[in-house]
Amino acid sequence: MNVLGIETSCDETAAAVVRDGTYLLSNVIASQVDIHSRYGGVVPEVASRQHLLAAIPIIQQAMSGASAGWGDVDAIAVTIGPGLAGSLLVGVNVAKAIALARGLPFIGVNHLEAHIYANWLEGEQPQFPVVCLTVSGGHTDLMLMKGHGEYHTLGRTRDDAAGEAFDKVARILGLGYPGGPAIEQAALGGDGSLHPLPRAWLKGTDDFSFSGLKTAVLHLVQENEGIAAADVAASFQESVVDVLVAKTVDAATRLQARQVLLCGGVASNQALRHAMTERSPLPVHVPSPLLCTDNAAMTASCGYFRIQAGESSGWDLDVEPNLRLA
Ligand code: KG4
Ligand code: ZN
């Protein structure tokens, strides 16, 4: 079964064709980062207008990249949330229009669930039960997944998401937008041991907290004029990685999971990937960086497994900007 995935939840217009939920036939992503970077963050109205311009050409590229005609597509999967309402609306309406014109079934997909399914697109298939850490711009969720579509939330951030903390600290350090890759790059040339930063362990829970760390960075920078941004970036990244890895490994061993899965934009961070792999006694599955950040291949994969479970959407499908998972 070939599924066309469409993803427009934030600032990437993406389309992909995936066979049987696991085999990538094409994966096309148009980033709007250059347009939003001059504002220091995503401007929602600008994002939806860009999606309108990019959606059809990107879908056409995904189809030709997969050497697929419409007769080769069996279903459409589209992100319905969480995300920016205006951006999501573009994807959902394009998906419905194609579904109507071509007589195809379609399914609305939760973007957070889709991030998890990036783990089904490469390498060996994950073995349940897994403990999955989703770290993106808006979420830091630790979940136990016992089977397809079976989620139990263990913990989540009580304030800033991990990606949000990267973005805010990058701004404090004047490293630009998006913050995650900028901090990772700066940290390569820094010494994280020069300015130790705190870790919020929230012992006895699987929850996270990053706003205190962000405030500690702010004070450190304000009180030490001329401090090297690279050293602060390295120390900040060490603190975030330490907490994410320790709490994920603790939960996975405690719950006797078979594997640890990582996903979401922050999972493209090499320091996090290395530390998780080094410190986990269980096998760690993490998608390649291009499948960690927003893409439509994960949407197509997730949609495939929902369709396999007997689900589909109707014409009343709508966007759900605040959608949650479990
Ligand atoms: O999953 P994603 O692409 O979009 C959302 O669903 O939010 O995640 C975007 C977030 C941003 O906060 C970005 O700064 C962060 O992921 N990010 C990174 C890296 N690449 C992206 N954070 C740390 N290191 C990176 N290399
Ligand atoms: Zn995302």
Side-chain angles (χ1 to χ4, degrees):
M1 175 188 266
N2 292 333
V3 176
L4 168 68
I6 300 172
E7 150 65 38
T8 62
S9 67
C10 191
D11 60 344
E12 329 272 356
T13 314
V17 182
V18 172
R19 179 168 296 165
D20 295 337
T22 56
Y23 187 70
L24 205 60
L25 295 179
S26 66
N27 187 26
V28 183
I29 303 165
S31 173
Q32 305 175 5
V33 110
D34 292 343
I35 296 162
H36 297 290
S37 63
R38 73 184 82 135
Y39 306 106
V42 178
V43 183
E45 189 59 29
V46 174
S48 15
R49 282 168 193 274
Q50 288 303 315
H51 287 308
L52 266 181
L53 296 173
I56 298 295
I58 291 302
I59 290 168
Q60 282 169 338
Q61 272 186 51
M63 293 290 290
S64 60
S67 302
W70 287 109
D72 302 314
V73 173
D74 301 294
I76 301 173
V78 62
T79 311
I80 58 165
L84 302 168
S87 292
L88 292 162
L89 273 169
V90 176
V92 168
N93 284 298
V94 167
K96 281 187 188 176
I98 297 174
L100 182 65
R102 302 289 169 181
L104 290 169
F106 58 102
I107 182 141
V109 166
N110 183 321
H111 181 73
L112 296 170
E113 188 178 11
H115 268 300
I116 297 175
Y117 274 90
N119 281 290
W120 269 260
L121 288 165
E122 293 167 318
E124 305 221 332
Q125 302 293 289
Q127 300 292 312
F128 296 118
V130 299
V131 159
C132 181
L133 175 69
T134 305
V135 268
S136 68
H139 295 83
T140 303
D141 293 338
L142 193 60
M143 300 221 162
L144 174 66
M145 190 179 177
K146 290 185 176 166
H148 290 293
E150 283 181 58
Y151 306 98
H152 173 68
T153 300
L154 303 169
R156 51 167 57 107
T157 183
R158 293 186 183 177
D159 38 59
D160 292 348
E164 188 181 359
F166 269 93
D167 294 333
K168 287 178 176 171
V169 165
R171 194 172 305 169
I172 294 170
L173 296 175
L175 295 175
Y177 165 88
I183 296 247
E184 176 169 15
Q185 189 59 34
L188 290 174
D191 180 349
S193 66
L194 292 179
H195 312 288
L197 286 163
R199 281 131 173 83
W201 292 114
L202 305 181
K203 287 230 185 299
T205 78
D206 292 316
D207 283 347
F208 301 92
S209 165
F210 297 107
S211 74
L213 173 61
K214 173 196 65 193
T215 308
V217 169
L218 184 63
H219 288 158
L220 183 66
V221 170
Q222 283 174 341
E223 287 157 18
N224 297 275
E225 213 181 308
I227 193 168
D231 295 333
V232 182
S235 181
F236 163 78
Q237 184 173 271
E238 278 175 24
S239 171
V240 174
V241 168
D242 193 14
V243 173
L244 290 176
V245 171
K247 300 201 74 151
T248 303
V249 168
D250 176 70
T253 41
R254 188 181 76 235
L255 296 164
Q256 299 179 321
R258 287 178 71 179
Q259 287 182 337
V260 169
L261 306 189
L262 255 178
C263 65
V266 182
S268 62
N269 183 285
Q270 294 296 335
L272 175 60
R273 299 163 75 93
H274 286 150
M276 192 68 85
T277 311
E278 295 253 298
R279 287 166 56 182
S280 168
L282 305 170
V284 175
H285 208 291
V286 51
S288 36
L290 197 64
L291 294 171
C292 287
T293 45
D294 288 346
N295 65 84
M298 64 187 198
T299 315
S301 172
C302 183
Y304 167 83
F305 284 101
R306 309 289 334 200
I307 291 167
Q308 288 301 302
E311 293 178 32
S312 68
S313 298
W315 298 114
D316 59 350
L317 181 71
D318 202 355
V319 301
E320 296 189 44
N322 300 316
L323 189 62
R324 292 172 71 123
L325 180 62

